[in-house]
């Protein structure tokens, strides 16, 4: 299934239950409201709020075995990453080989829902992004990374990056770029790919391991919120095959070692579902 077809499905689907889970933000008052007005990020333009709400609603939409589009999304992701012409069972160890925590990738989507799979679908279906997606997946399958437990779990890293991008959207860190491009979901997807590119470069260039994961994801969260434009420029340079906007970066101290980290809750990146 193409990303466009999948997105059209969600644009027309009945998502009232998912939308009801979104909370309106608390209104700032007094000094906090004044500081937000003077120094805070710009607000998303009214004509873009429907698209923002759709993205947040998809993040509240669980993977449904009875929904054929959901299943087609899963199958497409599997085929594109493994380069297989054959489909795969809904449950099984093959999902662990793709970097999910168990036989059911749906259990890893807490806080990101179908948006996490939609972003992964974008990653593997966009012709410009697919080479990067395959390079990152190849890293996760390398003998230095793929042993038990998997050092670089591709699927779980993808979910965590979606969670980071979602939080940036909720905190209005992406409003300026969304307003400029008059798009929301496309900005989310590009930032997802840019953040994945950044993580891949640091992980590979500095020979990181699972013990560094928490620290790296926290660092990536800060970069995504504070410097989204820089990340997007780096992705643009990568796509254009020009000089990249950022290198591997300086070595960073590892986080406390743990080989039983639960990636779906890693670093407490998940925020409250809300409308910004």
């Amino acid at each position: 299934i193409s990303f466009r077809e999948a997105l059209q499905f969600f644009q027309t689907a009945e998502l009232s239950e998912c939308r009801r889970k979104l909370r309106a933000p608390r209104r700032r008052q007094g000094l906090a409201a004044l500081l937000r007005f003077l120094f805070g990020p710009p607000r998303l333009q009214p004509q873009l709020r429907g698209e923002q709400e759709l993205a947040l609603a998809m993040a509240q939409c669980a993977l449904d075995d009875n929904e054929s589009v959901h299943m087609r999304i899963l199958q497409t992701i599997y085929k594109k990453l493994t380069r297989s012409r054959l489909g795969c069972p809904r449950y099984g160890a093959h999902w662990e080989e793709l970097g999910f925590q168990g036989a059911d990738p749906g259990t890893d989507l807490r806080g990101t829902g179908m948006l996490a799979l939609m972003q992964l679908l974008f990653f593997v279906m966009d012709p410009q992004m697919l080479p990067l997606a395959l390079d990152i997946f190849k890293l996760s399958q390398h003998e230095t990374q793929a042993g038990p437990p998997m050092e670089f779990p591709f699927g779980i890293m993808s979910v965590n990056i979606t969670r980071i991008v979602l939080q940036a959207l909720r905190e209005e860190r992406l409003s300026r770029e969304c307003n400029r491009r008059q798009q929301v979901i496309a900005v989310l997807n590009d930032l997802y790919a840019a953040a994945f590119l950044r993580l891949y470069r640091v992980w590979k260039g500095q020979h990181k391991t699972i013990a560094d994961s928490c620290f790296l994801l926290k660092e990536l969260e800060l970069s995504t919120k504070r410097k989204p434009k820089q990340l997007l420029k780096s992705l643009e340079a990568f796509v254009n095959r020009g000089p990249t906007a950022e290198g591997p970066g300086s070595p960073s101290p590892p986080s406390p070692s743990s080989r039983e980290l639960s990636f779906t809750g890693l670093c407490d990146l998940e925020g409250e579902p809300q409308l910004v």
Side-chain angles (χ1 to χ4, degrees):
I1 188 171
S2 69
F3 179 82
R4 181 184 294 274
E5 183 184 351
L7 182 60
Q8 288 175 344
F9 164 79
F10 284 105
Q11 288 171 332
T12 58
E14 174 56 56
L15 299 178
S16 56
E17 286 296 322
C18 300
R19 294 179 192 274
R20 274 196 285 269
K21 297 177 182 179
L22 306 179
R23 296 181 181 180
R26 290 184 299 175
R27 296 295 179 186
R28 296 177 176 86
Q29 297 184 4
L31 180 60
L34 178 61
L35 291 174
R36 169 63 179 76
F37 176 77
L38 293 175
F39 305 110
R43 290 199 178 278
L44 194 69
Q45 293 174 359
Q47 65 269 25
L48 298 175
R49 290 174 187 163
E51 191 178 354
Q52 177 200 40
E53 183 179 339
L54 175 62
L56 295 174
M58 284 193 291
Q60 296 300 315
C61 180
L63 180 63
D64 184 354
D65 287 10
N66 297 316
E67 178 49 67
S68 62
V69 170
H70 291 199
M71 297 300 101
R72 288 172 65 197
I73 291 171
L74 265 187
Q75 291 289 329
T76 302
I77 290 169
Y78 176 83
K79 288 181 180 180
K80 296 295 285 188
L81 286 175
T82 62
R83 306 186 197 186
S84 171
R85 294 184 179 180
L86 302 176
C88 64
R90 168 66 178 86
Y91 303 93
H94 50 281
W95 295 116
E96 295 181 59
E97 295 174 5
L98 263 63
F100 292 98
Q101 290 190 119
D104 177 11
T107 61
D108 292 332
L109 305 181
R110 186 175 68 248
T112 60
M114 286 304 299
L115 182 64
L117 292 184
M118 283 290 287
Q119 292 209 296
L120 192 46
L121 179 67
F122 157 78
F123 208 28
V124 300
M125 290 302 290
D126 186 284
Q128 292 182 308
M129 296 296 106
L130 179 58
L132 174 59
L134 291 176
D135 280 348
I136 299 174
F137 182 64
K138 184 178 178 181
L139 172 66
S140 75
Q141 300 297 299
H142 192 273
E143 60 183 11
T144 62
Q145 301 289 340
M150 183 175 284
E151 289 284 0
F152 190 94
F154 180 88
I156 297 301
M157 287 299 187
S158 175
V159 172
N160 274 282
I161 291 173
T162 295
R163 185 174 291 114
I164 287 171
V165 171
L166 261 177
Q167 194 60 27
L169 177 68
R170 291 181 181 125
E171 294 181 12
E172 300 182 308
R173 307 298 185 106
L174 310 182
S175 297
R176 181 174 282 106
E177 185 66 18
C178 291
N179 291 342
R180 184 185 72 81
R181 291 173 53 176
Q182 288 295 294
Q183 296 173 308
V184 175
I185 290 175
V187 171
L188 288 179
N189 286 342
D190 286 348
L191 190 59
Y192 159 91
F196 224 149
L197 172 62
R198 169 65 179 165
L199 180 65
Y200 168 66
R201 283 175 168 164
V202 173
W203 194 288
K204 185 175 181 180
Q206 300 180 27
H207 308 288
K208 297 299 183 180
T209 70
I210 200 171
D212 305 306
S213 301
C214 184
F215 179 87
L216 292 179
L217 287 172
K218 276 292 189 183
E219 190 177 62
L220 190 62
E221 181 183 18
L222 291 175
S223 297
T224 303
K225 290 180 180 180
R226 295 176 181 176
K227 301 178 181 180
K229 190 174 182 180
Q230 181 178 329
L231 285 175
L232 289 169
K233 283 185 176 180
S234 179
L235 178 68
E236 183 180 1
F238 172 83
V239 169
N240 294 334
R241 293 297 191 271
T244 54
E246 61 183 59
S250 57
S252 53
S255 60
S257 178
S258 171
R259 291 192 169 271
E260 296 181 355
L261 291 174
S262 175
F263 276 89
T264 50
L266 197 59
C267 306
D268 193 26
L269 294 173
E270 182 177 342
E272 286 291 323
Q274 57 181 289
L275 283 173
V276 182

